[in-house]
Amino acid sequence: MGTSLNRVEEEDYSSYTNSSDFISISLEDNNNTTTTATSTSKSSSELHPVCLPPHVTTWQKLNHRLREIFFPDDPLHIFKDQSWRRKLVLAFQYVFPILRWAPHYSLSLFRSDLIAGLTIASLAIPQGISYAKLANLQPIIGLYSSFVPPIVYSVLGSSRHIGIGPVSVASLVMGTMLDGEVSHSNKKDLYLELAFTSTLFAGLFQASLGIFRLGFIIDFLSKATLIGFMAGAAVIVSLQQLKGLLGITHFTSDMELIPVLESVFNSIKEWKWETIVMGFCFLIFLLVARFISTRKPRLFWVSAAAPLTSVILSSLLIFLLKSKLKHVSIIGHLPKGVNPTSENKLYFHGPHLQLAIKTGIITGILSLTEGIAVGRTFASLHNYQVDGNKEMIAIGFMNIVGCCFSCYVTTGSFSRSAVNYNAGAKTIFSNIVMAATVLVTLLFLMPLFHYTPDFVLAAIIITAVVGLVDYKAALRLWKLDKLDFVACCCSFFGVLFISVQIGLAIAVGVSVFKIILHVTRPNTVVLGNIPGTQIFRSLNHYENATRVPSFLILSIESPIFFANSLYLQERISRWVRGEENRIRENNERALKCVILDMTAVTAIDTSGIDAISELKKNMDKRSLQLALVNLVGTVMEKLHQSKTLDSFRSKGLYLTVGEAVDDLSSSWKHWP
C-alpha cells in the first residue's frame, strides 16, 4: 500500500521536479530498494538557513527611522570629511545658494540672463496687474508682488530657471475665500489687511514645512486631483472674466458655474458691443500668439511679448478714442513709487483672524505645490537637483518678507518659468533683471497704464489659464488608472459646481481615500512556477506559470498592520476555500500547504502579528501546513519577539518559494 501511494506522489510531482531541478528525492520501488533522483543543479539542492537579523538597539532603530522620514536626501552629506573653515563656507552656501554661483558669474551668463529677464518682465507686468484684480486687489499690488519676492528668492532659492510672481490659482482662491466674508468693495482697507496677513501665514506655513522637513504633507495633493482642480479653477476664472470681456457692470462675486452663467445672461442689457468687439479681438490675438509659441518653441518671444503689446495697443486705442469710448472700463490712476511698507497693516486681532489663517494655509499649499513642481520640472531638463525642503524655506521667507512690503502670495509661475527657460536663462539672476525692470516701471511708467482697459486684462487672464486645462493628462489618467481619473473628475466638478474651497477639500479627500483604499485593501495574488526555472510569478500575469500540486502559493503585496490585518486574514482564508473547491471540481490532489511570500511585507505591527498567529491556527484546524517565505529583518524580529516564530520552526520558514516547495514536497514523499 505504501509503495502504491509513493508512486502516485511521484507522478504528481514529476513535472515540477524535472523542470525545476530541485534537491534529490528518495523513493521506494516494488523491491524495497532505494532509488535516488539526483539533482542536476548543486545550487538548488542547498537549503539555506533562515536567520534573525543582527541585534539593533531601540535608539538605533529610532535614529534610523527618523533619518529616513525627515532626511531621506541626507542634506548634511556635503559636510563630511571637511575642515571647519570649509564647513562654514558650505553652511553659508547652503543657506544662501546665491553664494555658490555669484563668485563665478561671467559676462556671457549676464547676457543670457539679461535677455531672459527683460523677456519675462514683458509678461510679468501685465500678468501682475491682471492677477491682482483676480484676487480682488488693486492692480498696483500685483506689480509690487513682482518686485520684492523675486529678489528674496534669488538669494535663497536653488532653481535656476523659475520665474517668480503671482499665479492665477492662488489669486483666485485668495479672492474667493476673503471676499466670501469681507467685501473687497465695501471694506477695502480690511480686505487689504486680510490679504497681507494671509500672505504672512502662507509664508510661515511654507517655511515651517521646510525647516521641520515636513514637505511630504503636500504630497497628499496627488497629481490626478491637481489636474482636475486646476482645470476646474481655470474654467471658473475664464467665466469670471466675461465681466470684463462683455463690459458688464453688475456681476456676481460667486465662483460656481451656475451663478456665473446666470449672472452673464441676466445682464444681457449691460453688454457693450464696443467692449465685446475689442475684447475678443485681443483675446484671439493672444491665443494665436500662444499657439505659435507652443508649436514652435523657438518663437517663445511671441507669446511672451503679446500681453504687453496688447496692453500698449489697447491703452493707446482707448486714449485716442476716449471721447467715443466713455463706457469702456479702465484701470484708472496707479500710484508711482516703490513698494510701501505694510507691516502696520497686518491683522492679528479681531473676528477675521481665523479667516486669514485658513486662507493663508490653503493658498500656501497651492502655491507651494506649483512652485516646487515648476522648479523640479526645469531642473530635470538641465540635470541638476532642486532641494524640495530648501525651496519651501525660500518660498516661505519670500512671502514673509513680501507681506511687509505690500505683496500678496507669490510662487514659481509655469508661464513665466517656461518663457524664462526658452529665453535662455542660465541663473536665477534673470529674476533680478525682471525685478529691476518692474522697479523702473513703478518709478516712471505707471501713468502709461491709466487707460489700460479691463477687457485686455480679462483676455490676458483667460490666455494664461487656458494652459491649466490639461485634457491630454486627463485622457492619460483614464488609460492608465481609472481610480485616478475618478479622483480627477471629482475635484474638477467639485470646483465647478460647488466652490473652489470645497473642490480643494474634495481633491484632498479623494487623495486620502485612495491612500486608505490601497492600505486597507492590499493586493494578494496566487503564484505559479515558470517551467524550467525556480521563478514563481502571478498566474494571472504569466500564462505559462503553472500551479504546483498540493500547494497554494500566495504573495502579499503590502505591510501588515491594524488597518488591513483582518482583511488579509479573511482574504487568505477565502483563497484557501476557493483553491479547495477548484481541486475538488478538477479531481486533483488535495491541498496540503499554504505558502505566503512575504517579500513585499516591509513592516508589521501587533495586529499583523496576531493575524499571522490566527492564520496559523486556522490552517492547523484545516490540517494544512503554513509556511512563510523571505521575511524581511524587521518583520522577522517582531515575529520572533512575540514568540510567533516558534510555531514555524519546523518546516515553516524559508528564504525562497522554490526551497519551500521542494523541501516540503520531499518530506511528504518520505511519509509512510
Side-chain angles (χ1 to χ4, degrees):
M1 184 65 179
T3 302
S4 61
L5 282 174
N6 283 332
R7 283 179 175 172
V8 173
E9 295 282 359
E10 182 180 1
E11 292 173 2
D12 285 335
Y13 295 105
S14 61
S15 61
Y16 177 72
T17 55
N18 289 339
S19 64
S20 302
D21 292 330
F22 284 95
I23 65 173
S24 49
I25 302 168
S26 296
L27 302 173
E28 288 184 357
D29 60 12
N30 289 329
N31 298 322
N32 292 327
T33 59
T34 301
T35 305
T36 303
T38 306
S39 169
T40 60
S41 175
K42 292 183 179 180
S43 61
S44 62
S45 64
E46 182 182 357
L47 189 63
H48 298 87
V50 179
C51 305
L52 288 170
H55 176 70
V56 180
T57 65
T58 303
W59 170 247
Q60 290 175 323
K61 293 178 186 176
L62 180 62
N63 182 46
H64 173 74
R65 189 59 182 159
L66 291 177
R67 287 174 62 88
E68 289 300 312
I69 293 174
F70 297 107
F71 302 97
D73 54 344
D74 190 17
L76 302 180
H77 72 280
I78 58 175
F79 299 102
K80 293 179 180 178
D81 302 324
Q82 300 289 343
S83 64
W84 281 106
R85 185 176 180 180
R86 181 59 181 165
K87 285 181 179 179
L88 186 62
V89 172
L90 291 173
F92 274 102
Q93 290 180 346
Y94 180 79
V95 177
F96 304 105
I98 192 174
L99 298 177
R100 298 179 191 171
W101 56 266
H104 312 288
Y105 200 66
S106 63
L107 183 60
S108 61
L109 293 176
F110 174 73
R111 289 172 181 169
S112 299
D113 290 338
L114 178 64
I115 296 172
L118 293 175
T119 305
I120 58 173
S122 67
L123 177 65
I125 292 171
Q127 274 193 355
I129 295 173
S130 304
Y131 290 158
K133 290 181 69 67
L134 189 60
N136 299 319
L137 295 168
Q138 299 171 11
I140 193 66
I141 301 296
L143 290 180
Y144 291 159
S145 302
S146 299
F147 170 50
V148 172
I151 296 176
V152 177
Y153 181 86
S154 298
V155 176
L156 299 175
S158 56
S159 174
R160 303 173 195 167
H161 301 96
I162 198 169
I164 298 297
V167 293
S168 57
V169 174
S171 301
L172 168 68
V173 172
M174 174 174 282
T176 304
M177 295 185 67
L178 294 182
D179 199 52
E181 294 190 26
V182 178
S183 175
H184 71 279
S185 56
N186 298 330
K187 300 179 180 179
K188 293 183 180 180
D189 292 338
L190 177 59
Y191 187 91
L192 188 62
E193 291 176 3
L194 291 176
F196 293 152
T197 308
S198 298
T199 302
L200 172 63
F201 284 112
L204 290 173
F205 178 73
Q206 293 165 336
S208 298
L209 290 181
I211 293 171
F212 296 107
R213 316 289 292 183
L214 299 175
F216 58 84
I217 291 178
I218 65 173
D219 293 335
F220 281 100
L221 275 176
S222 67
K223 185 176 181 180
T225 55
L226 277 177
I227 290 171
F229 177 80
M230 293 291 189
V235 172
I236 292 297
V237 168
S238 300
L239 291 175
Q240 272 285 342
Q241 302 318 304
L242 291 176
K243 174 186 178 181
L245 284 178
L246 302 177
I248 300 173
T249 305
H250 302 90
F251 199 76
T252 180
S253 59
D254 292 337
M255 286 291 179
E256 297 85 46
L257 180 65
I258 303 301
V260 171
L261 291 178
E262 287 179 349
S263 182
V264 169
F265 291 106
N266 290 337
S267 306
I268 292 180
K269 294 181 180 180
E270 297 184 18
W271 293 11
K272 300 176 181 65
W273 68 268
E274 303 98 330
T275 302
I276 294 173
V277 172
M278 291 186 292
F280 278 93
C281 284
F282 279 105
L283 177 61
I284 293 171
F285 167 70
L286 290 167
L287 291 174
V288 170
R290 183 180 184 277
F291 177 79
I292 292 173
S293 297
T294 303
R295 287 299 180 91
K296 296 183 178 181
R298 291 183 179 180
L299 299 177
F300 66 90
W301 55 268
V302 175
S303 63
L308 187 58
T309 303
S310 299
V311 168
I312 295 173
L313 291 177
S314 61
S315 300
L316 186 61
L317 184 64
I318 297 300
F319 175 74
L320 295 176
L321 302 175
K322 58 184 176 181
S323 59
K324 297 181 179 180
L325 300 175
K326 295 180 180 179
H327 300 293
V328 176
S329 178
I330 60 176
I331 290 180
H333 173 70
L334 292 177
K336 292 198 305 182
V338 296
N339 303 32
T341 58
S342 55
E343 71 278 357
N344 58 333
K345 294 183 179 180
L346 296 177
Y347 183 95
F348 293 120
H349 303 285
H352 302 295
L353 180 59
Q354 185 177 358
L355 172 64
I357 296 174
K358 182 172 66 174
T359 304
I361 291 175
I362 293 177
T363 54
I365 291 174
L366 289 174
S367 58
L368 197 60
T369 303
E370 182 173 352
I372 292 178
V374 170
R376 286 176 174 170
T377 297
F378 290 98
S380 64
L381 296 177
H382 272 260
N383 297 319
Y384 68 92
Q385 289 187 340
V386 170
D387 185 342
N389 288 289
K390 187 71 179 66
E391 287 295 284
M392 294 176 194
I393 296 173
I395 294 174
F397 275 100
M398 177 179 74
N399 284 312
I400 292 172
V401 174
C403 77
C404 298
F405 290 92
S406 302
C407 303
Y408 77 107
V409 175
T410 53
T411 187
S413 165
F414 271 110
S415 57
R416 294 182 198 179
S417 301
V419 170
N420 194 31
Y421 175 80
N422 290 322
K426 301 300 182 183
T427 70
I428 197 62
F429 188 78
S430 59
N431 274 256
I432 298 178
V433 174
M434 178 193 71
T437 307
V438 173
L439 175 61
V440 172
T441 304
L442 288 170
L443 291 175
F444 306 109
L445 305 179
M446 294 314 299
L448 299 180
F449 294 96
H450 179 88
Y451 288 99
T452 301
D454 286 343
F455 64 74
V456 79
L457 299 180
I460 290 172
I461 291 175
I462 292 174
T463 306
V465 300
V466 161
L468 296 179
V469 183
D470 194 350
Y471 67 92
K472 291 183 179 179
L475 292 176
R476 186 169 179 269
L477 290 176
W478 171 257
K479 292 179 181 179
L480 298 180
D481 192 325
K482 299 298 187 293
L483 188 59
D484 268 352
F485 181 77
V486 171
C488 175
C489 290
C490 287
S491 57
F492 175 75
F493 290 112
V495 172
L496 216 57
F497 290 102
I498 305 177
S499 70
V500 175
Q501 302 98 300
I502 299 299
L504 181 62
I506 291 175
V508 176
V510 170
S511 298
V512 173
F513 174 75
K514 184 181 177 183
I515 295 173
I516 293 173
L517 190 63
H518 283 301
V519 165
T520 59
R521 294 295 181 267
N523 196 29
T524 55
V525 295
V526 181
L527 304 182
N529 176 246
I530 304 295
T533 71
Q534 297 182 26
I535 300 172
F536 290 80
R537 290 294 182 266
S538 170
L539 292 173
N540 291 331
H541 187 182
Y542 294 88
E543 295 181 357
N544 61 334
T546 59
R547 296 176 184 270
V548 181
S550 299
F551 284 91
L552 174 61
I553 307 170
L554 297 173
S555 175
I556 301 175
E557 299 182 346
S558 84
I560 305 176
F561 57 106
F562 68 94
N564 61 22
S565 59
L566 183 60
Y567 166 79
L568 285 173
Q569 192 176 336
E570 294 173 347
R571 190 66 185 91
I572 293 171
S573 298
R574 180 179 157 197
W575 277 119
V576 172
R577 290 196 303 270
E579 182 68 8
E580 288 176 337
N581 292 335
R582 187 194 66 80
I583 290 173
R584 199 176 301 114
E585 291 172 0
N586 297 319
N587 196 26
E588 298 178 3
R589 292 294 301 171
L591 181 65
K592 293 183 178 180
C593 180
V594 176
I595 296 177
L596 298 183
D597 184 355
M598 308 278 280
T599 304
V601 182
T602 56
I604 193 169
D605 67 357
T606 53
S607 298
I609 294 171
D610 292 341
I612 295 294
S613 299
E614 287 297 319
L615 199 60
K616 173 65 174 172
K617 294 176 183 178
N618 292 338
M619 294 301 106
D620 290 342
K621 291 179 181 178
R622 289 173 174 265
S623 299
L624 297 175
Q625 193 162 359
L626 180 65
L628 306 180
V629 169
N630 197 19
L631 294 170
V632 300
T634 55
V635 174
M636 175 171 280
E637 186 178 16
K638 288 186 178 181
L639 290 175
H640 170 68
Q641 290 173 349
S642 65
K643 307 298 183 182
T644 304
L645 280 189
D646 293 346
S647 57
F648 290 91
R649 289 297 182 187
S650 177
K651 305 291 183 183
L653 295 176
Y654 298 92
L655 281 185
T656 67
V657 175
E659 290 185 1
V661 171
D662 184 69
D663 185 53
L664 292 169
S665 60
S666 65
S667 65
W668 297 339
K669 293 178 181 182
H670 289 292
W671 288 357

